[in-house]
Coordinates of all heavy atoms in Angstrom, one line a residue:
M109 N -53.2 -231.5 -24.8 CA -52.0 -230.6 -24.8 C -52.5 -229.2 -24.3 O -53.6 -228.7 -24.7 CB -51.4 -230.4 -26.2 CG -50.3 -229.5 -26.2 SD -49.6 -229.5 -27.9 CE -48.7 -228.0 -27.8
G110 N -51.7 -228.6 -23.5 CA -52.1 -227.3 -22.9 C -51.8 -226.1 -23.9 O -51.3 -226.3 -25.0
K111 N -52.2 -225.0 -23.5 CA -51.9 -223.8 -24.3 C -50.5 -223.3 -24.2 O -50.0 -223.2 -23.0 CB -52.9 -222.7 -23.9 CG -54.3 -223.1 -24.1 CD -55.2 -222.0 -23.4 CE -56.6 -222.6 -23.3 NZ -57.4 -221.9 -22.3
V112 N -49.9 -223.0 -25.3 CA -48.5 -222.5 -25.3 C -48.4 -221.3 -26.2 O -49.0 -221.3 -27.3 CB -47.6 -223.6 -25.9 CG1 -46.1 -223.2 -26.0 CG2 -47.6 -224.9 -25.0
C113 N -47.7 -220.3 -25.8 CA -47.6 -219.1 -26.6 C -46.6 -219.4 -27.8 O -45.5 -220.0 -27.6 CB -47.0 -217.9 -25.8 SG -46.9 -216.4 -26.7
I114 N -47.0 -219.0 -29.0 CA -46.2 -219.3 -30.2 C -45.1 -218.2 -30.5 O -44.4 -218.4 -31.5 CB -47.1 -219.5 -31.4 CG1 -47.9 -218.2 -31.7 CG2 -48.0 -220.7 -31.2 CD1 -48.6 -218.2 -33.0
V115 N -45.1 -217.1 -29.7 CA -44.1 -216.1 -30.0 C -42.7 -216.6 -29.6 O -42.5 -217.2 -28.6 CB -44.4 -214.8 -29.2 CG1 -43.3 -213.8 -29.3 CG2 -45.8 -214.2 -29.6
L116 N -41.8 -216.4 -30.6 CA -40.4 -217.0 -30.3 C -39.8 -216.3 -29.1 O -39.9 -215.1 -28.8 CB -39.5 -216.6 -31.5 CG -39.8 -217.5 -32.8 CD1 -38.8 -217.0 -33.9 CD2 -39.6 -219.0 -32.5
G117 N -39.2 -217.2 -28.3 CA -38.6 -216.8 -27.0 C -39.5 -216.7 -25.8 O -39.1 -216.6 -24.7
C118 N -40.8 -216.8 -26.1 CA -41.8 -216.7 -25.0 C -42.0 -218.1 -24.4 O -42.2 -219.1 -25.2 CB -43.1 -216.2 -25.4 SG -44.3 -216.0 -24.1
R119 N -41.9 -218.3 -23.1 CA -42.1 -219.6 -22.5 C -43.4 -219.7 -21.7 O -43.5 -220.7 -20.9 CB -40.9 -219.8 -21.5 CG -39.6 -219.9 -22.3 CD -38.4 -220.1 -21.3 NE -37.2 -220.3 -22.0 CZ -36.6 -221.5 -22.2 NH1 -37.1 -222.5 -21.6 NH2 -35.5 -221.5 -22.8
N120 N -44.3 -218.8 -21.9 CA -45.6 -218.9 -21.2 C -46.4 -220.0 -21.7 O -46.5 -220.3 -22.9 CB -46.3 -217.6 -21.3 CG -45.7 -216.5 -20.5 OD1 -45.1 -216.7 -19.5 ND2 -45.8 -215.2 -21.0
R121 N -47.0 -220.7 -20.8 CA -47.9 -221.8 -21.0 C -48.9 -221.9 -19.9 O -48.6 -221.4 -18.8 CB -47.2 -223.1 -21.2 CG -46.3 -223.5 -20.1 CD -45.4 -224.7 -20.5 NE -44.8 -224.5 -21.7 CZ -44.5 -225.4 -22.7 NH1 -44.9 -226.6 -22.5 NH2 -43.9 -225.1 -23.8
D122 N -50.1 -222.4 -20.2 CA -51.1 -222.4 -19.2 C -50.8 -223.3 -18.0 O -51.4 -223.1 -16.9 CB -52.5 -222.7 -19.8 CG -52.7 -224.1 -20.3 OD1 -51.6 -224.8 -20.5 OD2 -53.8 -224.5 -20.6
S123 N -49.9 -224.2 -18.2 CA -49.6 -225.1 -17.1 C -48.8 -224.4 -15.9 O -48.7 -224.9 -14.8 CB -48.8 -226.3 -17.6 OG -47.6 -225.9 -18.2
Y124 N -48.2 -223.2 -16.2 CA -47.5 -222.5 -15.2 C -48.4 -221.7 -14.3 O -48.0 -221.3 -13.2 CB -46.6 -221.5 -15.8 CG -45.4 -222.1 -16.6 CD1 -44.7 -221.3 -17.5 CD2 -45.0 -223.4 -16.4 CE1 -43.7 -221.9 -18.3 CE2 -43.9 -223.9 -17.1 CZ -43.3 -223.1 -18.1 OH -42.3 -223.7 -18.8
K125 N -49.7 -221.6 -14.6 CA -50.7 -220.9 -13.8 C -50.3 -219.5 -13.3 O -50.4 -219.2 -12.2 CB -51.1 -221.8 -12.6 CG -51.5 -223.2 -12.9 CD -52.9 -223.2 -13.6 CE -53.3 -224.7 -13.9 NZ -54.2 -224.8 -14.9
Q126 N -49.8 -218.7 -14.2 CA -49.4 -217.4 -13.9 C -50.6 -216.5 -13.8 O -51.4 -216.4 -14.8 CB -48.4 -216.8 -14.9 CG -47.1 -217.6 -14.8 CD -46.1 -217.1 -15.9 OE1 -46.5 -217.0 -17.1 NE2 -44.9 -216.8 -15.5
P127 N -50.8 -215.8 -12.7 CA -52.0 -214.9 -12.6 C -52.1 -213.8 -13.7 O -51.0 -213.2 -13.9 CB -52.0 -214.4 -11.2 CG -50.6 -214.7 -10.7 CD -50.0 -215.7 -11.6
G128 N -53.2 -213.6 -14.3 CA -53.4 -212.5 -15.2 C -53.0 -212.8 -16.6 O -53.3 -212.0 -17.5
I129 N -52.4 -213.9 -16.9 CA -52.0 -214.2 -18.3 C -53.1 -215.0 -19.0 O -53.5 -216.0 -18.4 CB -50.6 -215.0 -18.4 CG1 -49.5 -214.1 -17.9 CG2 -50.4 -215.5 -19.8 CD1 -48.1 -214.7 -18.0
K130 N -53.5 -214.6 -20.1 CA -54.5 -215.2 -20.9 C -53.9 -215.6 -22.2 O -53.0 -215.0 -22.7 CB -55.7 -214.3 -21.1 CG -56.4 -214.0 -19.8 CD -57.6 -213.1 -20.0 CE -58.1 -212.8 -18.6 NZ -59.2 -211.7 -18.6
F131 N -54.6 -216.5 -22.9 CA -54.1 -217.0 -24.2 C -55.2 -216.8 -25.3 O -56.3 -217.1 -25.1 CB -53.7 -218.5 -24.1 CG -52.5 -218.8 -23.3 CD1 -52.6 -218.9 -21.9 CD2 -51.3 -218.8 -23.8 CE1 -51.5 -219.1 -21.1 CE2 -50.1 -219.0 -23.0 CZ -50.3 -219.2 -21.7
H132 N -54.7 -216.1 -26.4 CA -55.7 -215.7 -27.4 C -55.3 -216.5 -28.7 O -54.2 -216.6 -29.1 CB -55.6 -214.2 -27.7 CG -55.7 -213.4 -26.4 ND1 -57.0 -213.1 -25.9 CD2 -54.8 -212.9 -25.6 CE1 -56.8 -212.4 -24.8 NE2 -55.5 -212.3 -24.6
R133 N -56.4 -217.0 -29.4 CA -56.2 -217.7 -30.7 C -56.0 -216.7 -31.8 O -56.5 -215.6 -31.7 CB -57.4 -218.5 -31.0 CG -57.6 -219.7 -30.2 CD -58.7 -220.6 -30.7 NE -58.7 -221.8 -29.9 CZ -59.7 -222.6 -29.9 NH1 -60.7 -222.4 -30.6 NH2 -59.6 -223.7 -29.1
I134 N -55.2 -217.1 -32.8 CA -55.0 -216.3 -34.0 C -56.4 -216.2 -34.6 O -57.1 -217.2 -34.8 CB -54.0 -216.9 -34.9 CG1 -52.6 -216.8 -34.2 CG2 -53.9 -216.1 -36.2 CD1 -51.5 -217.5 -34.9
P135 N -56.8 -215.0 -35.0 CA -58.2 -214.9 -35.6 C -58.3 -215.7 -36.9 O -57.4 -215.9 -37.7 CB -58.3 -213.4 -35.9 CG -57.2 -212.7 -35.1 CD -56.1 -213.7 -34.9
K136 N -59.5 -216.1 -37.2 CA -59.8 -216.8 -38.5 C -60.0 -215.8 -39.6 O -59.8 -216.1 -40.8 CB -61.1 -217.7 -38.3 CG -60.8 -218.8 -37.4 CD -62.0 -219.7 -37.3 CE -61.7 -220.9 -36.3 NZ -62.8 -221.8 -36.2
D137 N -60.5 -214.6 -39.3 CA -60.7 -213.6 -40.3 C -59.4 -213.3 -41.0 O -58.4 -213.0 -40.3 CB -61.2 -212.3 -39.7 CG -61.3 -211.1 -40.6 OD1 -62.2 -211.1 -41.5 OD2 -60.5 -210.2 -40.5
E138 N -59.3 -213.4 -42.3 CA -58.0 -213.3 -43.0 C -57.3 -212.0 -42.8 O -56.1 -211.9 -42.7 CB -58.3 -213.6 -44.5 CG -58.5 -215.1 -44.8 CD -57.4 -216.0 -44.4 OE1 -56.2 -215.7 -44.5 OE2 -57.8 -217.1 -43.8
G139 N -58.1 -210.9 -42.8 CA -57.5 -209.6 -42.6 C -56.8 -209.4 -41.3 O -55.6 -209.0 -41.1
R140 N -57.5 -209.8 -40.2 CA -57.0 -209.8 -38.9 C -55.8 -210.8 -38.7 O -54.8 -210.5 -38.0 CB -58.1 -210.0 -37.8 CG -59.0 -208.8 -37.8 CD -59.9 -208.8 -36.7 NE -59.1 -208.6 -35.5 CZ -59.6 -208.7 -34.3 NH1 -60.8 -209.1 -34.1 NH2 -58.9 -208.5 -33.2
K141 N -56.0 -212.0 -39.3 CA -55.0 -213.0 -39.2 C -53.7 -212.5 -39.8 O -52.6 -212.7 -39.2 CB -55.5 -214.3 -39.9 CG -54.5 -215.4 -39.8 CD -55.0 -216.6 -40.5 CE -54.1 -217.8 -40.4 NZ -54.7 -219.0 -41.0
E142 N -53.7 -211.9 -40.9 CA -52.5 -211.3 -41.5 C -51.8 -210.3 -40.6 O -50.6 -210.3 -40.5 CB -52.9 -210.7 -42.9 CG -51.8 -210.1 -43.6 CD -50.7 -211.0 -44.1 OE1 -51.0 -212.2 -44.3 OE2 -49.5 -210.6 -44.1
L143 N -52.6 -209.4 -40.0 CA -52.0 -208.5 -39.1 C -51.3 -209.1 -37.9 O -50.2 -208.7 -37.5 CB -53.1 -207.5 -38.5 CG -53.7 -206.6 -39.5 CD1 -54.9 -205.8 -38.9 CD2 -52.7 -205.6 -40.0
W144 N -51.9 -210.2 -37.4 CA -51.3 -210.9 -36.2 C -50.0 -211.6 -36.7 O -49.0 -211.5 -36.0 CB -52.3 -212.0 -35.7 CG -53.3 -211.4 -34.8 CD1 -54.1 -210.3 -34.9 CD2 -53.7 -212.0 -33.5 NE1 -54.9 -210.2 -33.9 CE2 -54.7 -211.2 -33.0 CE3 -53.2 -213.1 -32.8 CZ2 -55.3 -211.5 -31.8 CZ3 -53.8 -213.4 -31.6 CH2 -54.8 -212.6 -31.1
I145 N -50.1 -212.2 -37.9 CA -48.9 -213.0 -38.4 C -47.7 -212.0 -38.6 O -46.6 -212.3 -38.2 CB -49.2 -213.7 -39.7 CG1 -50.3 -214.8 -39.5 CG2 -48.0 -214.3 -40.3 CD1 -49.9 -215.9 -38.5
R146 N -48.0 -210.8 -39.1 CA -47.0 -209.8 -39.3 C -46.4 -209.3 -38.0 O -45.2 -209.1 -37.8 CB -47.5 -208.6 -40.1 CG -47.2 -208.8 -41.6 CD -47.5 -207.5 -42.3 NE -48.8 -207.5 -42.8 CZ -49.6 -206.5 -43.0 NH1 -49.2 -205.3 -42.7 NH2 -50.8 -206.6 -43.4
A147 N -47.3 -209.1 -37.0 CA -46.9 -208.6 -35.7 C -46.0 -209.7 -35.0 O -45.0 -209.4 -34.3 CB -48.1 -208.3 -34.8
I148 N -46.4 -211.0 -35.1 CA -45.6 -212.0 -34.5 C -44.2 -212.1 -35.1 O -43.2 -212.4 -34.5 CB -46.4 -213.4 -34.6 CG1 -47.6 -213.3 -33.8 CG2 -45.5 -214.6 -34.2 CD1 -48.6 -214.5 -34.0
N149 N -44.1 -211.9 -36.4 CA -42.9 -211.8 -37.2 C -42.0 -213.0 -37.0 O -40.8 -212.9 -36.7 CB -42.1 -210.5 -36.8 CG -41.0 -210.2 -37.8 OD1 -41.1 -210.6 -38.9 ND2 -39.9 -209.6 -37.3
R150 N -42.6 -214.2 -37.2 CA -41.9 -215.4 -37.0 C -41.6 -216.0 -38.4 O -42.4 -215.9 -39.3 CB -42.8 -216.4 -36.3 CG -42.1 -217.7 -35.9 CD -43.0 -218.4 -34.9 NE -42.5 -219.7 -34.7 CZ -42.9 -220.6 -33.8 NH1 -43.9 -220.3 -33.0 NH2 -42.4 -221.8 -33.7
R151 N -40.3 -216.4 -38.6 CA -39.9 -216.9 -39.9 C -39.4 -218.3 -39.9 O -38.8 -218.8 -38.9 CB -38.8 -216.0 -40.5 CG -39.3 -214.6 -40.6 CD -38.5 -213.8 -41.6 NE -39.1 -212.5 -41.8 CZ -39.9 -212.1 -42.8 NH1 -40.2 -213.0 -43.7 NH2 -40.4 -210.9 -42.9
D152 N -39.5 -219.0 -41.0 CA -39.0 -220.4 -41.1 C -37.5 -220.3 -41.1 O -36.9 -219.5 -42.0 CB -39.5 -221.0 -42.4 CG -39.1 -222.4 -42.6 OD1 -37.8 -222.6 -42.7 OD2 -39.9 -223.3 -42.6
P153 N -36.8 -221.0 -40.3 CA -35.3 -220.8 -40.2 C -34.6 -221.3 -41.5 O -33.5 -220.9 -41.8 CB -34.9 -221.7 -39.0 CG -36.1 -222.6 -38.7 CD -37.3 -221.9 -39.3
V154 N -35.2 -222.2 -42.2 CA -34.6 -222.8 -43.4 C -34.8 -221.9 -44.6 O -33.9 -221.5 -45.3 CB -35.1 -224.2 -43.7 CG1 -34.5 -224.7 -45.0 CG2 -34.7 -225.1 -42.5
T155 N -36.1 -221.5 -44.9 CA -36.4 -220.8 -46.1 C -36.4 -219.3 -45.9 O -36.3 -218.5 -46.8 CB -37.8 -221.2 -46.6 OG1 -38.8 -220.8 -45.6 CG2 -37.8 -222.7 -46.9
G156 N -36.6 -218.8 -44.6 CA -36.7 -217.4 -44.3 C -38.1 -216.8 -44.6 O -38.3 -215.6 -44.4
K157 N -39.0 -217.7 -45.1 CA -40.4 -217.2 -45.4 C -41.1 -217.0 -44.1 O -40.9 -217.6 -43.1 CB -41.1 -218.3 -46.2 CG -40.6 -218.4 -47.6 CD -41.4 -219.4 -48.4 CE -40.8 -219.5 -49.8 NZ -41.6 -220.5 -50.6
V158 N -42.1 -216.1 -44.2 CA -43.0 -215.8 -43.0 C -43.7 -217.1 -42.6 O -44.3 -217.8 -43.4 CB -44.0 -214.7 -43.3 CG1 -44.9 -214.5 -42.2 CG2 -43.2 -213.4 -43.6
W159 N -43.7 -217.4 -41.3 CA -44.3 -218.5 -40.8 C -45.8 -218.3 -40.6 O -46.2 -217.2 -40.1 CB -43.7 -218.8 -39.4 CG -44.4 -219.9 -38.6 CD1 -44.2 -221.2 -38.7 CD2 -45.5 -219.7 -37.6 NE1 -45.1 -221.9 -37.8 CE2 -45.8 -220.9 -37.2 CE3 -46.1 -218.6 -37.1 CZ2 -46.8 -221.1 -36.2 CZ3 -47.1 -218.7 -36.2 CH2 -47.4 -220.0 -35.7
I160 N -46.6 -219.2 -41.1 CA -48.0 -219.1 -40.9 C -48.5 -220.4 -40.2 O -48.3 -221.5 -40.7 CB -48.7 -218.9 -42.3 CG1 -48.2 -217.7 -43.0 CG2 -50.3 -218.9 -42.1 CD1 -48.7 -217.5 -44.4
S161 N -49.2 -220.2 -39.1 CA -49.7 -221.3 -38.3 C -50.8 -222.1 -39.0 O -51.7 -221.5 -39.5 CB -50.2 -220.8 -37.0 OG -50.8 -221.9 -36.3
C162 N -50.6 -223.4 -39.1 CA -51.6 -224.3 -39.7 C -52.4 -224.8 -38.5 O -53.4 -225.5 -38.7 CB -51.0 -225.4 -40.5 SG -50.1 -224.8 -41.9
D163 N -52.0 -224.6 -37.3 CA -52.6 -225.2 -36.1 C -53.8 -224.3 -35.6 O -53.6 -223.1 -35.3 CB -51.5 -225.3 -35.0 CG -52.1 -225.9 -33.7 OD1 -53.2 -226.4 -33.7 OD2 -51.3 -225.9 -32.7
E164 N -54.9 -224.9 -35.6 CA -56.1 -224.2 -35.1 C -56.0 -223.7 -33.6 O -56.6 -222.8 -33.2 CB -57.4 -225.1 -35.2 CG -57.8 -225.3 -36.6 CD -58.4 -224.1 -37.3 OE1 -59.2 -223.4 -36.6 OE2 -58.1 -223.9 -38.5
G165 N -55.1 -224.4 -32.9 CA -54.9 -224.1 -31.5 C -53.8 -223.1 -31.2 O -53.5 -222.9 -30.0
A166 N -53.2 -222.6 -32.2 CA -52.1 -221.6 -32.0 C -52.5 -220.4 -31.2 O -53.6 -219.9 -31.4 CB -51.5 -221.2 -33.3
R167 N -51.7 -220.1 -30.2 CA -52.1 -219.0 -29.2 C -51.0 -218.0 -29.0 O -49.8 -218.4 -29.2 CB -52.5 -219.6 -27.9 CG -53.4 -220.8 -27.9 CD -54.8 -220.4 -27.8 NE -55.6 -221.6 -27.9 CZ -56.8 -221.8 -27.3 NH1 -57.2 -220.8 -26.5 NH2 -57.5 -222.8 -27.4
V168 N -51.4 -216.8 -28.7 CA -50.5 -215.8 -28.3 C -50.9 -215.4 -26.9 O -52.1 -215.1 -26.6 CB -50.5 -214.6 -29.2 CG1 -49.6 -213.5 -28.7 CG2 -50.1 -215.0 -30.6
C169 N -49.9 -215.3 -25.9 CA -50.3 -214.9 -24.6 C -50.5 -213.4 -24.5 O -50.0 -212.6 -25.3 CB -49.3 -215.4 -23.6 SG -47.7 -214.6 -23.5
S170 N -51.2 -213.0 -23.4 CA -51.6 -211.6 -23.2 C -50.4 -210.7 -22.9 O -50.5 -209.5 -23.0 CB -52.6 -211.5 -22.1 OG -52.1 -212.1 -20.9
V171 N -49.2 -211.3 -22.6 CA -48.0 -210.5 -22.4 C -47.6 -209.6 -23.6 O -47.1 -208.6 -23.5 CB -46.9 -211.4 -22.0 CG1 -45.5 -210.7 -21.9 CG2 -47.1 -212.1 -20.6
H172 N -48.0 -210.1 -24.8 CA -47.6 -209.5 -26.0 C -48.6 -208.5 -26.6 O -48.4 -208.0 -27.7 CB -47.3 -210.6 -27.1 CG -46.4 -211.6 -26.6 ND1 -45.0 -211.3 -26.4 CD2 -46.6 -212.9 -26.2 CE1 -44.4 -212.4 -26.0 NE2 -45.4 -213.4 -25.8
F173 N -49.6 -208.1 -25.8 CA -50.6 -207.1 -26.2 C -50.4 -205.8 -25.4 O -50.0 -205.8 -24.3 CB -52.0 -207.7 -25.9 CG -52.4 -208.8 -26.9 CD1 -52.0 -210.1 -26.5 CD2 -53.1 -208.6 -28.0 CE1 -52.4 -211.2 -27.4 CE2 -53.4 -209.6 -28.9 CZ -53.1 -210.9 -28.5
I174 N -50.7 -204.7 -26.1 CA -50.7 -203.4 -25.5 C -52.1 -203.1 -25.0 O -53.1 -203.4 -25.7 CB -50.3 -202.3 -26.5 CG1 -48.9 -202.7 -27.0 CG2 -50.3 -201.0 -25.9 CD1 -48.4 -201.8 -28.1
D175 N -52.2 -202.5 -23.8 CA -53.6 -202.2 -23.3 C -54.3 -201.2 -24.2 O -53.7 -200.3 -24.7 CB -53.5 -201.6 -21.9 CG -53.1 -202.7 -20.9 OD1 -53.4 -203.9 -21.1 OD2 -52.6 -202.3 -19.8

């Protein structure tokens, strides 16, 4: 399976071969991971709880980062 951005509404994936877009894994460090999860702000549609990725391959594309 290719890399897919997990940010809701984002359709970027590595199979599109868009120049300049990179994919970053969610950090394993708990402090940094928490910051990323909050910034992604994704919620479970049924429970409303904050979504936390269990997938080691979860990625965020470079479009969502500030220089």
